[in-house]
Amino acid sequence: MEKTLAILKPDAVERNLIGKILERIEGKGFKVAAMKMAQLSQCEAKGFYDVHKERPFFGDLTSYMSSGPVVLLVLSRDNAIKEWRDLMGATNPADAAEGTIRKDFAVNIEKNSTHGSDAPDTAAFEISYFFSQTEIVG
Ligand code: ADP
Ligand code: MG
């Protein structure tokens, strides 16, 4: 089983979408291997999104990600990284396919409700950024 990191972002938590999004995750056959609430500091958000530090939206993104509570999740299933990205949909909800989480719930390209790792190396980094080995089951 492959593991990936998912985040239910501040816009999703603020609008009481935790249950609806978790229902879609479980409905697609993912197992929740770890889960916790957190409110990130801007410093923690900057460390998490370090790959984007040169991008023009980096300051806004890290302010937004630290603006309210998030749900941090480790999801497990076969092909979890790609399957979770497919279920989330495109970064910009205007481009996201019908039936995806971002199409149905995202506010805009920044407040797009969920995060998902994009490759095995980033999944490993992102999972270890938020979870110790003993917090992950299965
Ligand atoms: P994804 O989350 O789909 O992997 P990226 O890794 O490219 O997308 O970007 C990380 C996050 O940065 C996005 O999910 C979104 O919240 C924000 N973001 C990406 N592109 C933009 C943009 N052009 N303007 C504002 N925010 C953006
Ligand atoms: Mg990304």
Side-chain angles (χ1 to χ4, degrees):
M1 289 295 149
E2 187 175 68
K3 288 185 173 65
T4 191
L5 185 89
I7 305 178
L8 310 189
K9 294 183 176 183
D11 72 273
V13 174
E14 202 264 326
R15 290 178 293 143
N16 281 1
L17 293 171
I18 296 173
K20 283 201 172 73
I21 294 173
L22 284 177
E23 190 171 16
R24 292 192 186 201
I25 288 170
E26 291 191 308
K28 274 281 179 181
F30 292 92
K31 288 289 178 195
V32 175
M35 176 163 70
K36 61 187 172 191
M37 304 289 304
Q39 173 137 13
L40 306 183
S41 67
Q42 190 157 12
C43 185
E44 287 167 336
K46 283 180 172 168
F48 181 74
Y49 279 118
D50 190 61
V51 292
H52 292 314
K53 63 173 178 285
E54 308 300 339
R55 308 285 286 276
F57 57 79
F58 183 68
D60 279 353
L61 171 64
T62 54
S63 295
Y64 158 62
M65 288 299 290
S66 55
S67 68
V70 296
V71 180
L72 304 170
L73 293 151
V74 179
L75 303 180
S76 177
R77 63 159 281 175
D78 63 296
N79 209 13
I81 295 169
K82 181 177 187 303
E83 291 290 339
W84 172 231
R85 289 201 63 96
D86 287 351
L87 182 58
M88 287 199 301
T91 307
N92 187 346
D95 302 328
E98 292 296 328
T100 61
I101 288 169
R102 283 166 164 174
K103 173 75 177 183
D104 291 344
F105 299 128
V107 177
N108 56 38
I109 192 171
E110 178 187 75
K111 297 179 176 57
N112 58 4
S113 302
T114 52
H115 168 85
S117 310
D118 61 7
D121 58 334
T122 52
F125 164 75
E126 291 176 359
I127 290 169
S128 69
Y129 193 78
F130 290 122
F131 292 96
S132 64
Q133 235 179 315
T134 52
E135 293 177 300
I136 302 168
V137 302

